[in-house]
Amino acid sequence: MSSDTPRGWSPQSWQQHAAVQQPEYPDRATLERALGELALLPPLVTSWEVNNLRALLAQAQEGRCFVLQGGDCAESFADCESGLIANRLKVLLQMSLVLVHGLRRKVVRIGRFAGQYAKPRSTDTETRDGLTLPSYRGDLINAPEFTPQARAADPLRLLEGHKRSALTMNFTRGLIDGGFADLHHPEYWDLDWVHHAPLAEQYRQRVEAIGESLRFMETLAGQTIGDFNRVDFYTSHEALLLCAEAAQTRRVPRQPGWYNLSTHFPWIGMRTAALDGAHVEYCRGIRNPMGVKVGPGMSAQWLRQLCEVLNPDNEPGRLTLIHRMGAARIESALPPLIEAVRAGGHRVLWLCDPMHGNTQTLASGVKTRAFADILTEVERAFAVHAQCGSRLGGVHLELTGEDVTECLGGARDLSETDLARAYRSAVDPRLNYEQALELALRIVSIRGAAGGAAD
Ligand code: PEP
Ligand code: CO
């Protein structure tokens, strides 16, 4: 293997390590054919974009930009639909506009979409009325219905996932390049609800202030500022199903190393972050910037070793640590980890995922999250980083552009009984559009209260 590849690594070297959270494919021949086709199809992203994102994440590490990463917990094939995609893009654009204006900083937008189709599960099988079947692992792998046919891992879903990711990317790119994200026209990304939401006024004031600043700058410059006509959008998903990730891992002309060209920013989930495990082995060899979820169960030593393995050259922008401690535990669990990373001299970007440590199951069996806990975790994350002389570089959220009722609280104070109205997630509960925008507005006021946006 040439010197631009870490020692002992190849796109398939993960197969020599323990790979948790992988399905059993009954039909191996079709699996091999599907993977072969996946390896030849045009990729979803390019190495240029991947390198650009790495450079932006390096800037975020230095506090020069703020990262907004958000989208569904799990995409479904059925949700690959123009209205849902456009609304999700709208809410992310609105949030980023609030953050840019309030934090006085560039915002790097990373969607949890165009490939977020595989989910880790707590058990490999599920039993109902004496029948045991494989767990549903996301649309990339099998279907949720409780029948042997639906639950069998189907290799053709890999190709369907690639197709739907490409459709999502194509539509998103078309909207953005066509002018949808033009700061001169924030009305393009108005959602109907904006006019009657409790926070509408606050949002409108920020939009107006931005319009005024833009007109002022353009008057000074004597021309339209083209940079504001479009924004960059990047994609991410959990790099979970390793045979599919490996099939889309390629060399490209004139760039050293291997790139995962199915997404700009893959991340390793909490359940697959074992140091000697297959996911870490796969990720250490690719050139993409990557994230690792960090929960309260992670020791300082484990985290330091992950930094050493995943970023041995201490390359800026390469490694993002996404902590997801829960509001109640962040103040005790995070400081030793920040200290360990600093003591090891590792350059990382820290993001806060305030969703996965705050999930609760109601007596009715419904999974939810309280907006207040989510907000508290973000507030505490800023404070803990400041106390430790570190910096929180962004947030990682599960959200949708729809009027769902999955998380409790927020400006409309959704209650347990409200959840039944529009609970649509098959997996984790997401912030709805209003709660998502409210969180962005609150982040801006937390930073304002902490004594100024730019640190
Ligand atoms: C997720 O991001 O949907 C997820 C499963 O997170 P974690 O790995 O942090 O539990
Ligand atoms: Co989730």
Side-chain angles (χ1 to χ4, degrees), residues 73 112 116 119-120 238 267 269-271 293 324 353 356 396 398 428:
C73 178
R112 256 182 88 111
Q116 178 52 17
K119 290 310 295 174
E238 179 171 351
W267 79 83
M270 244 327 275
R271 286 168 253 202
K293 293 288 200 86
R324 28 89 80 224
D353 164 358
H356 289 88
H396 176 118
E398 289 186 343
D428 289 342

Side-chain angles (χ1 to χ4, degrees), residues 6 107 124 137 147 174-175 227 236 240 255 263 266 272 326 366 376 433:
V107 168
D124 283 344
R137 291 186 175 277
T147 66
L175 284 172
D227 259 10
S236 65
L240 187 66
Q255 305 266 19
T263 190
T272 49
V366 172
T376 301
Y433 53 66

